[in-house]
Amino acid sequence: MQRSLTIALDMMGGDYGPRSSIPAAVEAVHLHPTLTLILCGNEQLLQEQLSQLDALQHPRLKIQHCTQIVTNADEPASALRNKKDASMRIALDLVKQGKAQACVSSGNTGALFAMAHYVLKMLPGIKRPALISSVPTETKKPVYLLDLGANVHCDAHTLYQFGIMGSVVARESQDIEHPRVSLLNIGSEDIKGHEGIKEAAQMMQKNPALNYTGYSEGSDIFSGKSDVIVCEGFVGNVALKTCEGIAKLIMHKMTRALKKHLLYRGLALILMPVIKKIYKKVNPDQYNGASLVGLRGIVVKSHGNASASAFLAAINEAVREVQRQLPEKIQTAFAEHEPMQDAS
Amino acid sequence: MQRSLTIALDMMGGDYGPRSSIPAAVEAVHLHPTLTLILCGNEQLLQEQLSQLDALQHPRLKIQHCTQIVTNADEPASALRNKKDASMRIALDLVKQGKAQACVSSGNTGALFAMAHYVLKMLPGIKRPALISSVPTETKKPVYLLDLGANVHCDAHTLYQFGIMGSVVARESQDIEHPRVSLLNIGSEDIKGHEGIKEAAQMMQKNPALNYTGYSEGSDIFSGKSDVIVCEGFVGNVALKTCEGIAKLIMHKMTRALKKHLLYRGLALILMPVIKKIYKKVNPDQYNGASLVGLRGIVVKSHGNASASAFLAAINEAVREVQRQLPEKIQTAFAEHEPMQDAS
């Protein structure tokens, strides 16, 4: 049933490089029988890690040797100019050349964003790409948050376009016919408001193809009232990372409370797995990949601190996006529903 | 030892009005033997609630009848113009007139901000007031976050001034000689950064009286690495409310996980109080009051959804700020350490 597909992986990114990306890749080809992975990175390092897992001869794991690595210290502009043989860049080039249908990286976000933008280009009519990810809610369906940091500030039209892109992602991923889209705002709208958000709200309201449901506050993100929540990259990044921080804090306090009393110590053994599972669920930044949408290609960003299982989750996300033909669906939505396409 | 002090309360704000503010007031005068409270609001309603608690004749609970109420639907400008006899306004007027040393309200934030700004005025040299509150960390000391929504956007100099004010609050409240101050930023500084934040960082670095320790990310807020974290009001509000949302989500998932299995049901009885205590701790927006700093008077804002215990916590916070003479300390800090005071 599954069509054969090829994904390019930047193996050298993140805090652990091949130590987490190789086990993830090996597991991914095991899970997906029609998946071929092109492993971009230092050939020798990759071979060493592969042979440790007895996977050196795997027919669907192909090494693409690269001489450079993008580090977290690299400025995006300089990485773009000087690191044309970096694993990150080569993985993107493979998508551009049609040799891979998607790429996954856990490397320097800024550099990945600049390179992806430069190599893959925007879909017609879309102003800016956005980083999108889902977070869990009190209901069974997650909510999609964008932008998570690709654009520090966004004008009204960009926020409006993010609403359309988010709506397509939620529709395709969660099988929701008319995803409820809202804009993140602060409680007291009456305090001197944020003009860009008010203008974006008007644009969303005017588009009958978009199911715009009004403003959300930070406290509403996880309620399940919205399928898509749109905000500027700075705000989205802070919100997502704050989740990570508070989840860590709750884990910390909980563990301490459980260890404090002798009675609880026994319970802790039973309860810690439950708590850890919840922690993982509410710690989306660590757990899921985030996707860069709006480009002529699929790019999934895994957390810099990604474990093998988190990197695997990002590969799985890339597989799903290829199967859903996400860029094509976004392009169709813009062609049909973006009345202001030519005005931008 | 305690000096006698008087605090004016806006009794009519928030979702519950006198139903939560009266029990809080009765408890507060019980806790603080030298505290007098001026209860601003509808006399009849207040008397009814007081008599239910047998506190109608309490010598330190004085009713100040007001004919108007600021609602959440009121625009700040219109409330300022048209609601001069509202309980919120009268409470602030009492501070201005020196009849009370602080005021507490759980009403419309925008209106409270506009009225407090107009009635009390800024301390010399300070550009904007900020809403500040503490949130728990993994260490014993909390971290102070500002601004939490009084100013949607802030320029570099305003952020810099917030750093000074936050530093004074942390020093006075937590007895820290040189509080570590940081600026909230997003992970990849290298992504086209936020100019105002970069400029504020330079200003903070140049002031030797300020212990500036660099950028923090959302995930660092609760780590205890900083005593004060400075950001724009929009971002701070989203971060704080996201905490509220995620704490609610974790409670929800935890309760469900505990109820699901028969084995856990018994444990739930023992553990739910622990979980609830943690929830309260990590849900600062509900629990503590937030203070408006930078004004010539003390204003504590309680959550709109404040229960009696949350409103009591806000009264307690106001008592502490009076005892610490917070506005005077902020004024001294600005006179001593704000080199750019005249340049603004």
Side-chain angles (χ1 to χ4, degrees), chain A residues 107-140:
Chain A
N108 180 328
T109 313
L112 181 65
F113 176 59
M115 280 185 178
H117 196 181
Y118 176 79
V119 172
L120 298 176
K121 312 285 183 234
M122 302 304 302
L123 285 168
I126 302 184
K127 292 171 77 170
R128 304 283 304 164
L131 205 57
I132 185 168
S133 187
S134 65
V135 297
T137 68
E138 291 179 24
T139 68
K140 279 183 187 160

PDB file of all heavy atoms in Angstrom, chain A residues 107-140:
ATOM      1  N   GLY A 107      19.679  20.258  13.673  1.00  0.00           N
ATOM      2  CA  GLY A 107      20.753  21.251  13.784  1.00  0.00           C
ATOM      3  C   GLY A 107      20.258  22.658  14.075  1.00  0.00           C
ATOM      4  O   GLY A 107      19.051  22.889  14.243  1.00  0.00           O
ATOM      5  N   ASN A 108      21.193  23.592  14.113  1.00  0.00           N
ATOM      6  CA  ASN A 108      21.001  25.040  14.295  1.00  0.00           C
ATOM      7  C   ASN A 108      19.746  25.543  13.558  1.00  0.00           C
ATOM      8  O   ASN A 108      19.704  25.608  12.324  1.00  0.00           O
ATOM      9  CB  ASN A 108      22.283  25.690  13.750  1.00  0.00           C
ATOM     10  CG  ASN A 108      22.307  27.195  13.829  1.00  0.00           C
ATOM     11  OD1 ASN A 108      21.278  27.847  13.734  1.00  0.00           O
ATOM     12  ND2 ASN A 108      23.496  27.742  14.005  1.00  0.00           N
ATOM     13  N   THR A 109      18.722  25.943  14.330  1.00  0.00           N
ATOM     14  CA  THR A 109      17.439  26.348  13.746  1.00  0.00           C
ATOM     15  C   THR A 109      17.574  27.517  12.775  1.00  0.00           C
ATOM     16  O   THR A 109      16.992  27.512  11.695  1.00  0.00           O
ATOM     17  CB  THR A 109      16.431  26.762  14.842  1.00  0.00           C
ATOM     18  OG1 THR A 109      16.444  25.775  15.860  1.00  0.00           O
ATOM     19  CG2 THR A 109      15.031  26.880  14.290  1.00  0.00           C
ATOM     20  N   GLY A 110      18.342  28.525  13.178  1.00  0.00           N
ATOM     21  CA  GLY A 110      18.491  29.713  12.349  1.00  0.00           C
ATOM     22  C   GLY A 110      19.129  29.375  11.014  1.00  0.00           C
ATOM     23  O   GLY A 110      18.674  29.839   9.959  1.00  0.00           O
ATOM     24  N   ALA A 111      20.165  28.547  11.041  1.00  0.00           N
ATOM     25  CA  ALA A 111      20.852  28.163   9.813  1.00  0.00           C
ATOM     26  C   ALA A 111      19.942  27.299   8.945  1.00  0.00           C
ATOM     27  O   ALA A 111      19.856  27.484   7.724  1.00  0.00           O
ATOM     28  CB  ALA A 111      22.135  27.404  10.147  1.00  0.00           C
ATOM     29  N   LEU A 112      19.210  26.382   9.569  1.00  0.00           N
ATOM     30  CA  LEU A 112      18.299  25.511   8.822  1.00  0.00           C
ATOM     31  C   LEU A 112      17.230  26.343   8.120  1.00  0.00           C
ATOM     32  O   LEU A 112      16.905  26.122   6.957  1.00  0.00           O
ATOM     33  CB  LEU A 112      17.630  24.505   9.770  1.00  0.00           C
ATOM     34  CG  LEU A 112      16.653  23.510   9.118  1.00  0.00           C
ATOM     35  CD1 LEU A 112      17.371  22.580   8.144  1.00  0.00           C
ATOM     36  CD2 LEU A 112      15.906  22.686  10.174  1.00  0.00           C
ATOM     37  N   PHE A 113      16.721  27.329   8.857  1.00  0.00           N
ATOM     38  CA  PHE A 113      15.692  28.200   8.318  1.00  0.00           C
ATOM     39  C   PHE A 113      16.228  28.983   7.117  1.00  0.00           C
ATOM     40  O   PHE A 113      15.599  29.025   6.054  1.00  0.00           O
ATOM     41  CB  PHE A 113      15.233  29.132   9.437  1.00  0.00           C
ATOM     42  CG  PHE A 113      14.252  30.153   9.010  1.00  0.00           C
ATOM     43  CD1 PHE A 113      13.042  29.773   8.455  1.00  0.00           C
ATOM     44  CD2 PHE A 113      14.536  31.501   9.167  1.00  0.00           C
ATOM     45  CE1 PHE A 113      12.127  30.730   8.054  1.00  0.00           C
ATOM     46  CE2 PHE A 113      13.624  32.455   8.770  1.00  0.00           C
ATOM     47  CZ  PHE A 113      12.420  32.081   8.209  1.00  0.00           C
ATOM     48  N   ALA A 114      17.413  29.580   7.276  1.00  0.00           N
ATOM     49  CA  ALA A 114      17.994  30.379   6.188  1.00  0.00           C
ATOM     50  C   ALA A 114      18.305  29.497   4.975  1.00  0.00           C
ATOM     51  O   ALA A 114      18.008  29.864   3.830  1.00  0.00           O
ATOM     52  CB  ALA A 114      19.262  31.080   6.683  1.00  0.00           C
ATOM     53  N   MET A 115      18.894  28.334   5.212  1.00  0.00           N
ATOM     54  CA  MET A 115      19.256  27.439   4.113  1.00  0.00           C
ATOM     55  C   MET A 115      18.021  26.891   3.397  1.00  0.00           C
ATOM     56  O   MET A 115      17.975  26.840   2.171  1.00  0.00           O
ATOM     57  CB  MET A 115      20.069  26.258   4.642  1.00  0.00           C
ATOM     58  CG  MET A 115      21.532  26.583   4.879  1.00  0.00           C
ATOM     59  SD  MET A 115      22.398  25.065   5.375  1.00  0.00           S
ATOM     60  CE  MET A 115      24.069  25.689   5.535  1.00  0.00           C
ATOM     61  N   ALA A 116      17.025  26.491   4.174  1.00  0.00           N
ATOM     62  CA  ALA A 116      15.806  25.922   3.585  1.00  0.00           C
ATOM     63  C   ALA A 116      15.108  26.966   2.728  1.00  0.00           C
ATOM     64  O   ALA A 116      14.653  26.694   1.610  1.00  0.00           O
ATOM     65  CB  ALA A 116      14.869  25.423   4.677  1.00  0.00           C
ATOM     66  N   HIS A 117      15.052  28.192   3.244  1.00  0.00           N
ATOM     67  CA  HIS A 117      14.433  29.298   2.533  1.00  0.00           C
ATOM     68  C   HIS A 117      15.159  29.550   1.206  1.00  0.00           C
ATOM     69  O   HIS A 117      14.542  29.704   0.158  1.00  0.00           O
ATOM     70  CB  HIS A 117      14.495  30.545   3.431  1.00  0.00           C
ATOM     71  CG  HIS A 117      13.581  31.647   3.026  1.00  0.00           C
ATOM     72  ND1 HIS A 117      13.506  32.832   3.682  1.00  0.00           N
ATOM     73  CD2 HIS A 117      12.701  31.741   2.012  1.00  0.00           C
ATOM     74  CE1 HIS A 117      12.629  33.614   3.102  1.00  0.00           C
ATOM     75  NE2 HIS A 117      12.120  32.983   2.093  1.00  0.00           N
ATOM     76  N   TYR A 118      16.495  29.551   1.294  1.00  0.00           N
ATOM     77  CA  TYR A 118      17.316  29.842   0.111  1.00  0.00           C
ATOM     78  C   TYR A 118      17.261  28.698  -0.899  1.00  0.00           C
ATOM     79  O   TYR A 118      17.100  28.911  -2.107  1.00  0.00           O
ATOM     80  CB  TYR A 118      18.770  30.080   0.543  1.00  0.00           C
ATOM     81  CG  TYR A 118      19.719  30.283  -0.609  1.00  0.00           C
ATOM     82  CD1 TYR A 118      19.796  31.517  -1.255  1.00  0.00           C
ATOM     83  CD2 TYR A 118      20.524  29.235  -1.060  1.00  0.00           C
ATOM     84  CE1 TYR A 118      20.658  31.694  -2.324  1.00  0.00           C
ATOM     85  CE2 TYR A 118      21.385  29.408  -2.125  1.00  0.00           C
ATOM     86  CZ  TYR A 118      21.446  30.637  -2.757  1.00  0.00           C
ATOM     87  OH  TYR A 118      22.291  30.808  -3.824  1.00  0.00           O
ATOM     88  N   VAL A 119      17.399  27.464  -0.433  1.00  0.00           N
ATOM     89  CA  VAL A 119      17.492  26.313  -1.338  1.00  0.00           C
ATOM     90  C   VAL A 119      16.122  25.939  -1.924  1.00  0.00           C
ATOM     91  O   VAL A 119      15.986  25.762  -3.131  1.00  0.00           O
ATOM     92  CB  VAL A 119      18.107  25.084  -0.603  1.00  0.00           C
ATOM     93  CG1 VAL A 119      18.018  23.828  -1.463  1.00  0.00           C
ATOM     94  CG2 VAL A 119      19.553  25.370  -0.222  1.00  0.00           C
ATOM     95  N   LEU A 120      15.118  25.864  -1.066  1.00  0.00           N
ATOM     96  CA  LEU A 120      13.828  25.329  -1.526  1.00  0.00           C
ATOM     97  C   LEU A 120      12.890  26.392  -2.085  1.00  0.00           C
ATOM     98  O   LEU A 120      12.047  26.092  -2.913  1.00  0.00           O
ATOM     99  CB  LEU A 120      13.135  24.571  -0.389  1.00  0.00           C
ATOM    100  CG  LEU A 120      13.893  23.340   0.137  1.00  0.00           C
ATOM    101  CD1 LEU A 120      13.155  22.729   1.321  1.00  0.00           C
ATOM    102  CD2 LEU A 120      14.058  22.292  -0.962  1.00  0.00           C
ATOM    103  N   LYS A 121      13.010  27.611  -1.626  1.00  0.00           N
ATOM    104  CA  LYS A 121      12.146  28.736  -2.030  1.00  0.00           C
ATOM    105  C   LYS A 121      10.715  28.573  -1.501  1.00  0.00           C
ATOM    106  O   LYS A 121      10.275  27.476  -1.169  1.00  0.00           O
ATOM    107  CB  LYS A 121      12.082  28.914  -3.561  1.00  0.00           C
ATOM    108  CG  LYS A 121      13.413  28.899  -4.283  1.00  0.00           C
ATOM    109  CD  LYS A 121      14.192  30.187  -4.098  1.00  0.00           C
ATOM    110  CE  LYS A 121      15.485  30.159  -4.908  1.00  0.00           C
ATOM    111  NZ  LYS A 121      16.664  30.445  -4.076  1.00  0.00           N
ATOM    112  N   MET A 122      10.001  29.720  -1.494  1.00  0.00           N
ATOM    113  CA  MET A 122       8.626  29.750  -1.004  1.00  0.00           C
ATOM    114  C   MET A 122       7.662  29.205  -2.052  1.00  0.00           C
ATOM    115  O   MET A 122       7.908  29.311  -3.249  1.00  0.00           O
ATOM    116  CB  MET A 122       8.206  31.192  -0.682  1.00  0.00           C
ATOM    117  CG  MET A 122       9.053  31.933   0.337  1.00  0.00           C
ATOM    118  SD  MET A 122       9.159  31.068   1.902  1.00  0.00           S
ATOM    119  CE  MET A 122       7.421  30.943   2.326  1.00  0.00           C
ATOM    120  N   LEU A 123       6.542  28.681  -1.585  1.00  0.00           N
ATOM    121  CA  LEU A 123       5.439  28.346  -2.486  1.00  0.00           C
ATOM    122  C   LEU A 123       4.862  29.659  -3.024  1.00  0.00           C
ATOM    123  O   LEU A 123       4.930  30.691  -2.354  1.00  0.00           O
ATOM    124  CB  LEU A 123       4.352  27.578  -1.729  1.00  0.00           C
ATOM    125  CG  LEU A 123       4.669  26.110  -1.408  1.00  0.00           C
ATOM    126  CD1 LEU A 123       3.652  25.564  -0.403  1.00  0.00           C
ATOM    127  CD2 LEU A 123       4.668  25.256  -2.673  1.00  0.00           C
ATOM    128  N   PRO A 124       4.267  29.637  -4.232  1.00  0.00           N
ATOM    129  CA  PRO A 124       3.768  30.890  -4.826  1.00  0.00           C
ATOM    130  C   PRO A 124       2.756  31.599  -3.917  1.00  0.00           C
ATOM    131  O   PRO A 124       1.855  30.960  -3.391  1.00  0.00           O
ATOM    132  CB  PRO A 124       3.096  30.439  -6.128  1.00  0.00           C
ATOM    133  CG  PRO A 124       3.414  29.008  -6.315  1.00  0.00           C
ATOM    134  CD  PRO A 124       4.047  28.470  -5.098  1.00  0.00           C
ATOM    135  N   GLY A 125       2.954  32.900  -3.742  1.00  0.00           N
ATOM    136  CA  GLY A 125       1.997  33.712  -2.986  1.00  0.00           C
ATOM    137  C   GLY A 125       2.223  33.717  -1.479  1.00  0.00           C
ATOM    138  O   GLY A 125       1.592  34.486  -0.765  1.00  0.00           O
ATOM    139  N   ILE A 126       3.119  32.867  -0.975  1.00  0.00           N
ATOM    140  CA  ILE A 126       3.341  32.825   0.474  1.00  0.00           C
ATOM    141  C   ILE A 126       4.542  33.693   0.833  1.00  0.00           C
ATOM    142  O   ILE A 126       5.596  33.595   0.210  1.00  0.00           O
ATOM    143  CB  ILE A 126       3.521  31.368   0.970  1.00  0.00           C
ATOM    144  CG1 ILE A 126       2.276  30.550   0.592  1.00  0.00           C
ATOM    145  CG2 ILE A 126       3.767  31.333   2.479  1.00  0.00           C
ATOM    146  CD1 ILE A 126       2.276  29.134   1.100  1.00  0.00           C
ATOM    147  N   LYS A 127       4.339  34.569   1.831  1.00  0.00           N
ATOM    148  CA  LYS A 127       5.369  35.542   2.168  1.00  0.00           C
ATOM    149  C   LYS A 127       6.509  34.944   2.983  1.00  0.00           C
ATOM    150  O   LYS A 127       7.675  35.206   2.714  1.00  0.00           O
ATOM    151  CB  LYS A 127       4.751  36.705   2.973  1.00  0.00           C
ATOM    152  CG  LYS A 127       3.800  37.564   2.144  1.00  0.00           C
ATOM    153  CD  LYS A 127       3.054  38.544   3.021  1.00  0.00           C
ATOM    154  CE  LYS A 127       3.942  39.712   3.406  1.00  0.00           C
ATOM    155  NZ  LYS A 127       3.172  40.791   4.068  1.00  0.00           N
ATOM    156  N   ARG A 128       6.163  34.174   4.026  1.00  0.00           N
ATOM    157  CA  ARG A 128       7.168  33.689   4.949  1.00  0.00           C
ATOM    158  C   ARG A 128       6.879  32.245   5.343  1.00  0.00           C
ATOM    159  O   ARG A 128       5.723  31.874   5.524  1.00  0.00           O
ATOM    160  CB  ARG A 128       7.171  34.531   6.245  1.00  0.00           C
ATOM    161  CG  ARG A 128       7.358  36.021   6.041  1.00  0.00           C
ATOM    162  CD  ARG A 128       8.772  36.393   5.754  1.00  0.00           C
ATOM    163  NE  ARG A 128       9.693  35.942   6.791  1.00  0.00           N
ATOM    164  CZ  ARG A 128      11.015  35.888   6.620  1.00  0.00           C
ATOM    165  NH1 ARG A 128      11.563  36.236   5.474  1.00  0.00           N
ATOM    166  NH2 ARG A 128      11.790  35.483   7.595  1.00  0.00           N
ATOM    167  N   PRO A 129       7.915  31.444   5.510  1.00  0.00           N
ATOM    168  CA  PRO A 129       7.674  30.099   6.047  1.00  0.00           C
ATOM    169  C   PRO A 129       7.411  30.199   7.561  1.00  0.00           C
ATOM    170  O   PRO A 129       7.784  31.196   8.189  1.00  0.00           O
ATOM    171  CB  PRO A 129       8.996  29.374   5.793  1.00  0.00           C
ATOM    172  CG  PRO A 129      10.018  30.441   5.626  1.00  0.00           C
ATOM    173  CD  PRO A 129       9.338  31.743   5.332  1.00  0.00           C
ATOM    174  N   ALA A 130       6.772  29.194   8.107  1.00  0.00           N
ATOM    175  CA  ALA A 130       6.501  29.182   9.548  1.00  0.00           C
ATOM    176  C   ALA A 130       6.885  27.838  10.127  1.00  0.00           C
ATOM    177  O   ALA A 130       6.799  26.816   9.453  1.00  0.00           O
ATOM    178  CB  ALA A 130       5.026  29.455   9.815  1.00  0.00           C
ATOM    179  N   LEU A 131       7.318  27.859  11.377  1.00  0.00           N
ATOM    180  CA  LEU A 131       7.618  26.628  12.101  1.00  0.00           C
ATOM    181  C   LEU A 131       6.350  26.239  12.858  1.00  0.00           C
ATOM    182  O   LEU A 131       5.803  27.039  13.616  1.00  0.00           O
ATOM    183  CB  LEU A 131       8.771  26.902  13.069  1.00  0.00           C
ATOM    184  CG  LEU A 131       9.652  25.742  13.523  1.00  0.00           C
ATOM    185  CD1 LEU A 131      10.297  25.024  12.348  1.00  0.00           C
ATOM    186  CD2 LEU A 131      10.740  26.254  14.465  1.00  0.00           C
ATOM    187  N   ILE A 132       5.867  25.025  12.603  1.00  0.00           N
ATOM    188  CA  ILE A 132       4.597  24.591  13.206  1.00  0.00           C
ATOM    189  C   ILE A 132       4.796  23.275  13.936  1.00  0.00           C
ATOM    190  O   ILE A 132       5.589  22.437  13.512  1.00  0.00           O
ATOM    191  CB  ILE A 132       3.501  24.466  12.114  1.00  0.00           C
ATOM    192  CG1 ILE A 132       2.135  24.125  12.715  1.00  0.00           C
ATOM    193  CG2 ILE A 132       3.868  23.429  11.057  1.00  0.00           C
ATOM    194  CD1 ILE A 132       0.974  24.267  11.721  1.00  0.00           C
ATOM    195  N   SER A 133       4.108  23.121  15.063  1.00  0.00           N
ATOM    196  CA  SER A 133       4.138  21.845  15.772  1.00  0.00           C
ATOM    197  C   SER A 133       2.819  21.677  16.505  1.00  0.00           C
ATOM    198  O   SER A 133       2.091  22.642  16.721  1.00  0.00           O
ATOM    199  CB  SER A 133       5.302  21.817  16.764  1.00  0.00           C
ATOM    200  OG  SER A 133       5.433  20.527  17.337  1.00  0.00           O
ATOM    201  N   SER A 134       2.502  20.446  16.872  1.00  0.00           N
ATOM    202  CA  SER A 134       1.266  20.225  17.618  1.00  0.00           C
ATOM    203  C   SER A 134       1.596  20.044  19.086  1.00  0.00           C
ATOM    204  O   SER A 134       2.652  19.534  19.443  1.00  0.00           O
ATOM    205  CB  SER A 134       0.533  19.002  17.086  1.00  0.00           C
ATOM    206  OG  SER A 134       1.292  17.836  17.313  1.00  0.00           O
ATOM    207  N   VAL A 135       0.699  20.507  19.939  1.00  0.00           N
ATOM    208  CA  VAL A 135       0.832  20.261  21.375  1.00  0.00           C
ATOM    209  C   VAL A 135      -0.458  19.600  21.846  1.00  0.00           C
ATOM    210  O   VAL A 135      -1.516  19.805  21.252  1.00  0.00           O
ATOM    211  CB  VAL A 135       1.115  21.565  22.179  1.00  0.00           C
ATOM    212  CG1 VAL A 135       2.436  22.184  21.763  1.00  0.00           C
ATOM    213  CG2 VAL A 135       0.002  22.568  22.049  1.00  0.00           C
ATOM    214  N   PRO A 136      -0.384  18.793  22.916  1.00  0.00           N
ATOM    215  CA  PRO A 136      -1.575  18.069  23.371  1.00  0.00           C
ATOM    216  C   PRO A 136      -2.593  19.016  24.004  1.00  0.00           C
ATOM    217  O   PRO A 136      -2.240  20.109  24.452  1.00  0.00           O
ATOM    218  CB  PRO A 136      -1.025  17.109  24.420  1.00  0.00           C
ATOM    219  CG  PRO A 136       0.242  17.728  24.897  1.00  0.00           C
ATOM    220  CD  PRO A 136       0.784  18.513  23.756  1.00  0.00           C
ATOM    221  N   THR A 137      -3.839  18.584  24.032  1.00  0.00           N
ATOM    222  CA  THR A 137      -4.890  19.368  24.692  1.00  0.00           C
ATOM    223  C   THR A 137      -5.653  18.454  25.648  1.00  0.00           C
ATOM    224  O   THR A 137      -5.361  17.267  25.728  1.00  0.00           O
ATOM    225  CB  THR A 137      -5.904  19.930  23.671  1.00  0.00           C
ATOM    226  OG1 THR A 137      -6.643  18.834  23.126  1.00  0.00           O
ATOM    227  CG2 THR A 137      -5.225  20.681  22.558  1.00  0.00           C
ATOM    228  N   GLU A 138      -6.641  19.023  26.318  1.00  0.00           N
ATOM    229  CA  GLU A 138      -7.470  18.223  27.230  1.00  0.00           C
ATOM    230  C   GLU A 138      -8.384  17.276  26.447  1.00  0.00           C
ATOM    231  O   GLU A 138      -8.957  16.372  27.023  1.00  0.00           O
ATOM    232  CB  GLU A 138      -8.290  19.144  28.137  1.00  0.00           C
ATOM    233  CG  GLU A 138      -7.402  19.891  29.127  1.00  0.00           C
ATOM    234  CD  GLU A 138      -8.173  20.830  30.036  1.00  0.00           C
ATOM    235  OE1 GLU A 138      -9.368  20.621  30.257  1.00  0.00           O
ATOM    236  OE2 GLU A 138      -7.556  21.800  30.511  1.00  0.00           O
ATOM    237  N   THR A 139      -8.541  17.512  25.145  1.00  0.00           N
ATOM    238  CA  THR A 139      -9.349  16.622  24.313  1.00  0.00           C
ATOM    239  C   THR A 139      -8.418  15.619  23.624  1.00  0.00           C
ATOM    240  O   THR A 139      -7.219  15.626  23.847  1.00  0.00           O
ATOM    241  CB  THR A 139     -10.112  17.413  23.240  1.00  0.00           C
ATOM    242  OG1 THR A 139      -9.160  17.943  22.309  1.00  0.00           O
ATOM    243  CG2 THR A 139     -10.881  18.560  23.854  1.00  0.00           C
ATOM    244  N   LYS A 140      -8.993  14.785  22.755  1.00  0.00           N
ATOM    245  CA  LYS A 140      -8.175  13.777  22.088  1.00  0.00           C
ATOM    246  C   LYS A 140      -7.312  14.360  20.973  1.00  0.00           C
ATOM    247  O   LYS A 140      -6.295  13.801  20.595  1.00  0.00           O
ATOM    248  CB  LYS A 140      -9.074  12.672  21.531  1.00  0.00           C
ATOM    249  CG  LYS A 140      -9.455  11.680  22.623  1.00  0.00           C
ATOM    250  CD  LYS A 140     -10.282  10.550  22.092  1.00  0.00           C
ATOM    251  CE  LYS A 140     -10.767   9.699  23.263  1.00  0.00           C
ATOM    252  NZ  LYS A 140     -11.916   8.879  22.919  1.00  0.00           N
TER     253      LYS A 140
END
